[in-house]
Amino acid sequence: MLCQECKERQATLHFTKIINGEKTEFHFCDVCAKEQDGHMPGAKTFSMHQLLSGLLDFEQQMPSSHGGGIRKTREGLVCPGCRMTYEQFAKIGRFGCSECYQAFQSKLDPIFKRIHSGNVVHGGKVPKRIGQDLHLHKEIENLKQELQALIANEEFEQAAELRDRIRSLEKTLKEKREG
Amino acid sequence: MSLQQFISEAISPWMKKDGPNSDIVLSSRVRLARNIQHVPFPVIASSDDLAALTDKIGSEYGGAGHSRFGTIEFLTMDPMKQNEKRVLVEKHLISPALSDESKSGAVLLSEDESLSIMVNEEDHIRIQCLLAGFQLTEALRLANEVDDWMEDKLDFAFDEKRGYLTSCPTNVGTGLRASVMMHLPALVITRQMNRILPAINQLGLVVRGIYGEGSEAQGNLFQISNQITLGKSEEDIVQDLQSVVLQLIQQERAARKSLIEQSKLQMEDRVYRSYGILANSRVMESKEAAKRLSDLRLGIDLGLITDVDSKILNELMILTQPGFLQQYAGEILSPDQRDQRRAKLIRDRLKLEEEQIDH
């Protein structure tokens, strides 16, 4: 098959473009293909992340219900871990580090719902080693909060007991780490 | 190098094995995305961070012995030649992104190439298990094993609520992508595929062509994978995919049966025509090769062609890609030259079959 552009060389690149169900076939030789960058799939014109970024930017594109087309302003969320802003995240469609999940927490549920068929909470594997630590961490954190409350109420005897429990849990955690 | 030797070295050992339902399911793959705590994701991490991670993983796991996978080889992308990387992409051992865009990218490979662990792709770590035929559960079991093996020494970014934290929100939770590569010529010929595809999409599964995202199905090969990674367990995700694949296998079998019962002569004509073209062409574009090879494989599976090994499709789909053609030629080829080489490689490969039968 000859290239549809120059009609001289053999076509080596073939692709089908489907827009709104309308199918168009393209056949280019490698010389003409280079000049067609704009039409080529995978030629950095289209990526999953761009599609996704449309999804993440959803909120901004919607005219506010009572602002008459005025765009919502974002409250400038920034991840303390990697300094990525929510805006950057929405643009590239990828998180910068694991802390971004915490930093953008307030915005994530609707996004995850859309991507994962309504699911927002993990229901699978828990890493064996860190997983155990997680429970300990959580327990320690809860106890620490209780401790603060006890101290605030000046219930020092109970507070001392609690402090010892926290210490022993922290010791277990440390021993586990050092294996 | 003789063609036979080239093929035996080029084809991954796992591919040479027979898997269940391998007349329809060419391969099963499970991938787990993992990241390391307190290290920024590759998309924004500094070159130093990424280089340090590659070093750490290389020294920890490179050359290490794994109970199931044996010695693990560690390859860094930077010193590799473009074509060497391309060959790994064509074998589905690394992604094009790791080959072309990664900073301090690397891969850990098992001897049989059924395990590959990409380092510094979109996520810090991507564990991939590839098996022949329809073996999704087994692939998941192996990937989990490798995951535990690595987790023993690495602190993975994990959150109780969101699960494994990944760079892209589409992978969060399990970080699991399970997929199968299926050869569905009869469903395409009987025009049932157009009806089936939308139904599959509605079940939260994605269908792609052989070369991944956005690619057209070539040679009637379809890659089917899960889309949802959050909220379901790994086992459920694999189970859901598995049940759809089983149905597709049944439908493809039924379509093949009716083709042979109702239009045997037309089928014979179609597959022998393609066989003739493959055996005699002097110039062969990749698209045509894919189509003809699909016909030939269908002819073998239908029992119409008996003197050719059924693995020829899996083998030649890989070997006739540009990277492999160039590796075999030992030089970079223009598209015209590749089409000639492709035609010759296919002819020679079919001659090997004849010789084997003569002996």
Side-chain angles (χ1 to χ4, degrees):
Chain A
M1 187 184 293
L2 288 180
C3 169
Q4 67 181 58
E5 224 14 57
C6 62
K7 301 196 172 55
E8 285 171 9
R9 291 172 287 262
Q10 276 293 319
T12 51
L13 263 148
H14 312 270
F15 68 95
T16 312
K17 201 149 117 177
I18 305 172
I19 297 170
N20 292 330
E22 202 176 308
K23 236 172 140 177
T24 328
E25 283 195 29
F26 295 88
H27 308 277
F28 295 118
C29 66
D30 58 325
V31 181
C32 296
K34 280 191 189 124
E35 291 159 17
Q36 300 287 332
D37 264 3
H39 305 288
M40 305 295 283
K44 296 194 172 144
T45 52
F46 166 84
S47 78
M48 231 266 298
H49 292 114
Q50 274 168 297
L51 254 188
L52 192 62
S53 117
L55 204 64
L56 304 176
D57 229 13
F58 189 67
E59 189 176 297
Q60 201 183 35
Q61 288 158 2
M62 295 293 282
S64 88
S65 51
H66 39 87
I70 297 166
R71 287 184 169 189
K72 268 190 194 170
T73 46
R74 246 189 273 275
E75 58 259 48
L77 294 174
V78 183
C79 170
C82 64
R83 314 303 303 160
M84 185 180 266
T85 62
Y86 183 82
E87 212 146 67
Q88 282 173 304
F89 163 64
K91 201 171 159 208
I92 62 173
R94 278 179 280 186
F95 292 105
C97 72
S98 47
E99 282 177 57
C100 289
Y101 280 86
Q102 204 54 51
F104 307 146
Q105 167 76 13
S106 60
K107 308 225 169 217
L108 296 181
D109 277 6
I111 295 169
F112 289 157
K113 268 186 193 160
R114 240 170 272 141
I115 302 175
H116 299 286
S117 290
N119 300 332
V120 293
V121 178
H122 179 53
K125 186 173 179 177
V126 175
K128 281 190 185 144
R129 193 171 46 85
I130 310 180
Q132 289 176 336
D133 290 3
L134 272 181
H135 293 297
L136 279 177
H137 268 298
K138 212 175 177 185
E139 202 179 338
I140 292 170
E141 234 157 73
N142 289 342
L143 290 178
K144 276 184 180 167
Q145 275 177 7
E146 269 179 55
L147 183 66
Q148 288 306 319
L150 289 175
I151 293 171
N153 294 334
E154 302 188 358
E155 295 174 44
F156 297 115
E157 236 171 84
Q158 277 172 294
E161 264 174 46
L162 212 56
R163 185 202 56 206
D164 292 343
R165 257 180 75 196
I166 293 172
R167 278 193 186 150
S168 103
L169 281 175
E170 279 174 339
K171 205 178 143 208
T172 328
L173 194 64
K174 206 176 155 210
E175 276 166 2
K176 249 186 190 166
R177 285 254 163 93
E178 285 158 5
Chain B
M1 198 195 293
S2 79
L3 179 62
Q4 207 154 15
Q5 198 188 345
F6 173 71
I7 292 175
S8 83
E9 281 171 26
I11 295 297
S12 301
W14 68 265
M15 269 187 68
K16 296 174 189 160
K17 291 186 192 150
D18 260 323
N21 292 300
S22 54
D23 56 331
I24 294 173
V25 183
L26 271 54
S27 61
S28 302
R29 186 182 79 114
V30 162
R31 175 273 270 164
L32 296 173
R34 298 288 184 255
N35 286 284
I36 311 297
Q37 256 177 21
H38 310 305
V39 181
F41 297 153
V43 61
I44 58 152
S46 69
S47 309
D48 288 351
D49 279 343
L50 296 175
L53 182 66
T54 306
D55 285 349
K56 184 181 174 188
I57 291 183
S59 61
E60 192 74 66
Y61 298 97
H66 181 270
S67 52
R68 158 68 171 69
F69 290 103
T71 315
I72 309 281
E73 189 188 2
F74 181 69
L75 297 168
T76 50
M77 290 299 119
D78 293 335
M80 287 175 81
K81 290 201 187 96
Q82 194 57 37
N83 203 58
E84 290 173 333
K85 291 190 276 186
R86 188 164 189 168
V87 162
L88 292 180
V89 172
E90 290 172 2
K91 285 173 135 179
H92 298 281
L93 294 176
I94 64 171
S95 66
L98 186 80
S99 156
D100 303 333
E101 289 157 32
S102 66
K103 281 184 281 181
S104 295
V107 65
L108 291 157
L109 285 179
S110 70
E111 276 172 282
D112 69 352
E113 298 180 350
S114 63
L115 169 69
S116 83
I117 303 165
M118 287 192 277
V119 183
N120 290 333
E121 211 249 21
E122 184 180 280
D123 295 297
H124 292 139
I125 291 175
R126 286 199 163 184
I127 300 166
Q128 172 185 280
C129 286
L130 264 170
L131 294 175
F134 188 30
Q135 302 193 64
L136 277 175
T137 341
E138 177 66 1
L140 174 65
R141 200 181 62 75
L142 292 173
N144 265 330
E145 225 176 71
V146 175
D147 180 39
D148 294 341
W149 180 60
M150 296 191 88
E151 201 258 335
D152 212 32
K153 286 177 185 142
L154 298 170
D155 288 338
F156 287 152
F158 181 85
D159 177 84
E160 255 179 301
K161 185 175 173 200
R162 307 296 193 190
Y164 290 96
L165 304 177
T166 55
S167 185
C168 185
T170 55
N171 293 320
V172 72
T174 55
L176 169 77
R177 192 78 66 216
S179 66
V180 286
M181 187 69 75
M182 302 186 82
H183 185 222
L184 303 171
L187 287 178
V188 174
I189 293 170
T190 54
R191 299 186 186 278
Q192 294 183 68
M193 216 46 207
N194 295 338
R195 183 173 54 79
I196 293 170
L197 290 186
I200 295 178
N201 286 328
Q202 282 195 333
L203 293 168
L205 302 176
V206 194
V207 186
R208 303 188 175 107
I210 179 171
Y211 301 118
E213 241 165 68
S215 69
E216 205 187 331
Q218 281 196 13
N220 302 319
L221 293 174
F222 296 87
Q223 186 191 310
I224 302 169
S225 59
N226 65 300
Q227 178 70 54
I228 298 161
T229 58
L230 184 65
K232 294 205 276 182
S233 72
E234 287 79 358
E235 288 72 21
D236 284 351
I237 291 173
V238 164
Q239 203 83 81
D240 289 353
L241 175 61
Q242 211 158 10
S243 62
V244 170
V245 172
L246 273 173
Q247 287 194 26
L248 279 171
I249 292 175
Q250 280 168 10
Q251 301 217 25
E252 170 69 19
R253 289 235 161 88
R256 287 182 186 186
K257 195 162 167 260
S258 77
L259 277 178
I260 205 82
E261 279 168 6
Q262 288 164 23
S263 4
K264 185 167 184 207
L265 184 68
Q266 286 84 345
M267 286 317 293
E268 266 180 333
D269 182 63
R270 180 184 173 125
V271 303
Y272 272 102
R273 248 170 222 277
S274 288
Y275 191 5
I277 288 172
L278 288 168
N280 294 293
S281 294
R282 294 309 193 253
V283 180
M284 178 74 77
E285 290 172 15
S286 64
K287 201 178 176 179
E288 186 180 12
K291 183 169 168 268
R292 301 295 174 198
L293 286 167
S294 165
D295 282 348
L296 178 61
R297 172 71 198 253
L298 177 63
I300 298 166
D301 291 337
L302 291 178
L304 299 171
I305 294 172
T306 51
D307 54 354
V308 183
D309 181 10
S310 66
K311 288 209 185 64
I312 200 157
L313 172 71
N314 319 29
E315 214 179 274
L316 284 178
M317 278 308 289
I318 291 195
L319 293 176
T320 55
Q321 291 178 71
F324 271 105
L325 290 172
Q326 289 176 162
Q327 196 193 36
Y328 187 41
E331 58 182 331
I332 300 301
L333 305 167
S334 70
D336 281 350
Q337 289 173 313
R338 289 203 301 251
D339 290 348
Q340 291 165 33
R341 293 272 184 167
R342 183 176 295 116
K344 184 164 180 344
L345 181 79
I346 294 171
R347 288 200 316 271
D348 291 350
R349 175 65 184 81
L350 287 171
K351 266 187 216 136
L352 278 182
E353 290 288 319
E354 285 170 28
E355 284 163 20
Q356 274 161 13
I357 283 176
D358 289 344
H359 287 303

